[in-house]
Amino acid sequence: MKKILSGLVVAGAFALALTGCSTPAGGGADDGIITVGFAQTGSESGWRSANTDSMKAAFSEANGFKLVFNAADNKPEAQIAAVRSFINQGVDAIVIAPIVTDGWDDVLKEAQAANIPVILEDRTLSSSDSLYASWVGLDFNREGERAGEWVKQNFDGKAANLVILEGTTGSSAAKDRSAGFTSAIAGTDINVLDSQTGNFTRAEGKTVMEGFLQKYGNTINVLFAQNDDMGLGALDAIKAAGLKPGVDIQIVTIDAVHDGMQALANGEFNYIVECNPLLGEKVAALVKSVLAGTKVDKATIVEDGAFTKDDAIKLLPTRPY
Ligand code: AHR
């Protein structure tokens, strides 16, 4: 697709840089098809699968797109290499779900120099916002805060012992959820025994929880897992230790994917803060707007809910992911 940009109102320095560009992109054919390179984090969780499905459905041929998909197995260098390869292929736009916040300046500058707009989805990064056109995602700080508010409400005044399974180190999701959670439990008598990364995966959630149980035995009262998958892995470790999840150790997680909601309905999780993965349509609309030179917001936050056992029982039959 040839970029059609002159004379339109565009948002931010990056979009301005595109104005008047006449170089064909996406292979150069003026076929109306928008070629988009999508640099996904990997396939670490149920949330990620739902997000990938949502993106693939939105960036379909029927919607006028050709999607070049890459999942980087949660390796930041591989994700940056994928973005570089999209630049070399001359795609029309690049979408990134950044694995980590740091290390993006050079490749974003390369995309800008090649007049290829970058749209971020899901996670944020620490580079200047002049290096990307727009971001759509969730308020991770608020998600952590809501999890912390639930812990505070149920455990403050009880000198409870808490352990935390953190997401991928250096990711905005892990950093912001930790910050929001910490601020919500500040000033309480809740004792944080330990906090370690489980990389947002079920396998590592299980391994790290096994370590916590070996170290702290049955003194743990509550677990905050920064996503459902780590919480689900921890369930196995808790049961193997002869303890009852949801009762002996209460569990709050984030995401609300199907398996997490099932654990909540079963009484093995106690509370889930939602993180909505269905961002595809919003991202696709942003890509079209940016390429058309239409003004777009720099940041779009998608609303999340939070669920109890009763909510899970009610919502499970119609939950789309
Ligand atoms: O960035 C969103 C987080 O990434 C989700 O909470 C987690 O499940 C995923 O891997």
Side-chain angles (χ1 to χ4, degrees), residues 269-291:
F269 284 177
N270 303 83
Y271 193 61
I272 302 183
V273 178
E274 186 184 35
C275 180
N276 188 340
L278 306 182
L279 305 176
E281 282 180 19
K282 287 190 172 59
V283 182
L286 272 173
V287 167
K288 283 192 173 169
S289 295
V290 169
L291 288 173

Side-chain angles (χ1 to χ4, degrees), residues 131-153:
L131 292 175
Y132 59 88
S134 190
W135 163 80
V136 59
L138 303 311
D139 185 343
F140 296 135
N141 186 289
R142 181 66 193 129
E143 290 171 355
E145 197 176 48
R146 286 175 94 158
E149 284 164 358
W150 180 84
V151 171
K152 179 176 177 171
Q153 205 177 346

Side-chain angles (χ1 to χ4, degrees), residues 41 43-48 74 98 122-123 138 140 143 168 171-174 177 199-201 226-229 254-255 257 275:
T41 59
S43 52
E44 69 278 3
S45 64
W47 189 98
R48 192 59 56 192
N74 283 290
D122 166 29
R123 300 182 190 168
L138 303 311
F140 296 135
E143 290 171 355
T168 302
S171 67
S172 63
R177 285 173 185 169
N199 252 323
F200 284 132
T201 69
Q226 289 186 354
N227 79 344
D228 284 347
D229 279 81
I254 295 176
D255 274 356
V257 294
C275 180

Side-chain angles (χ1 to χ4, degrees), residues 7-274:
L8 295 170
V9 183
V10 289
F14 188 87
L16 281 168
L18 292 169
T19 305
C21 165
S22 59
T23 311
D30 191 6
D31 51 8
I33 302 286
I34 301 171
T35 303
V36 174
F38 174 36
Q40 178 60 289
T41 59
S43 52
E44 69 278 3
S45 64
W47 189 98
R48 192 59 56 192
S49 305
N51 179 249
T52 294
D53 290 350
S54 165
M55 291 290 287
K56 285 185 174 171
F59 285 91
S60 64
E61 279 181 29
N63 290 341
F65 292 101
K66 179 181 170 210
L67 185 67
V68 187
F69 178 79
N70 180 277
D73 198 19
N74 283 290
K75 295 188 172 68
E77 329 73 53
Q79 193 176 38
I80 287 170
V83 172
R84 219 161 247 135
S85 146
F86 295 152
I87 297 169
N88 292 335
Q89 289 170 53
V91 298
D92 294 306
I94 293 171
V95 179
I96 308 172
I99 297 167
V100 291
T101 53
D102 297 347
W104 287 99
D105 286 9
D106 288 351
V107 78
L108 292 181
K109 283 177 189 160
E110 289 163 33
Q112 194 166 67
N115 291 322
I116 301 174
V118 171
I119 286 91
L120 307 179
E121 72 113 24
D122 166 29
R123 300 182 190 168
T124 53
L125 43 69
S126 58
S127 300
S128 158
D129 69 7
S130 64
L131 292 175
Y132 59 88
S134 190
W135 163 80
V136 59
L138 303 311
D139 185 343
F140 296 135
N141 186 289
R142 181 66 193 129
E143 290 171 355
E145 197 176 48
R146 286 175 94 158
E149 284 164 358
W150 180 84
V151 171
K152 179 176 177 171
Q153 205 177 346
N154 289 281
F155 292 94
D156 191 18
K158 297 179 180 167
N161 289 321
L162 168 88
V163 291
I164 301 173
L165 289 169
E166 298 164 25
T168 302
T169 305
S171 67
S172 63
K175 288 187 196 181
D176 295 352
R177 285 173 185 169
S178 292
F181 185 85
T182 302
S183 73
I185 64 162
T188 67
D189 65 352
I190 292 151
N191 176 31
V192 182
L193 286 176
D194 219 326
S195 183
Q196 284 179 37
T197 182
N199 252 323
F200 284 132
T201 69
R202 229 176 255 221
E204 287 183 63
K206 179 173 182 237
T207 307
V208 177
M209 191 68 202
E210 282 167 353
F212 287 161
L213 287 160
Q214 267 165 24
K215 203 162 165 193
Y216 306 106
N218 60 5
T219 65
I220 302 167
N221 304 111
V222 55
L223 162 68
F224 168 40
Q226 289 186 354
N227 79 344
D228 284 347
D229 279 81
M230 292 188 295
L232 291 161
L235 287 185
D236 294 342
I238 293 168
K239 288 178 198 168
L243 297 169
K244 209 168 171 209
V247 179
D248 297 322
I249 298 179
Q250 295 205 27
I251 301 172
V252 52
T253 69
I254 295 176
D255 274 356
V257 294
H258 180 272
D259 290 358
M261 291 292 266
Q262 188 63 63
L264 185 60
N266 295 346
E268 296 187 321
F269 284 177
N270 303 83
Y271 193 61
I272 302 183
V273 178
E274 186 184 35

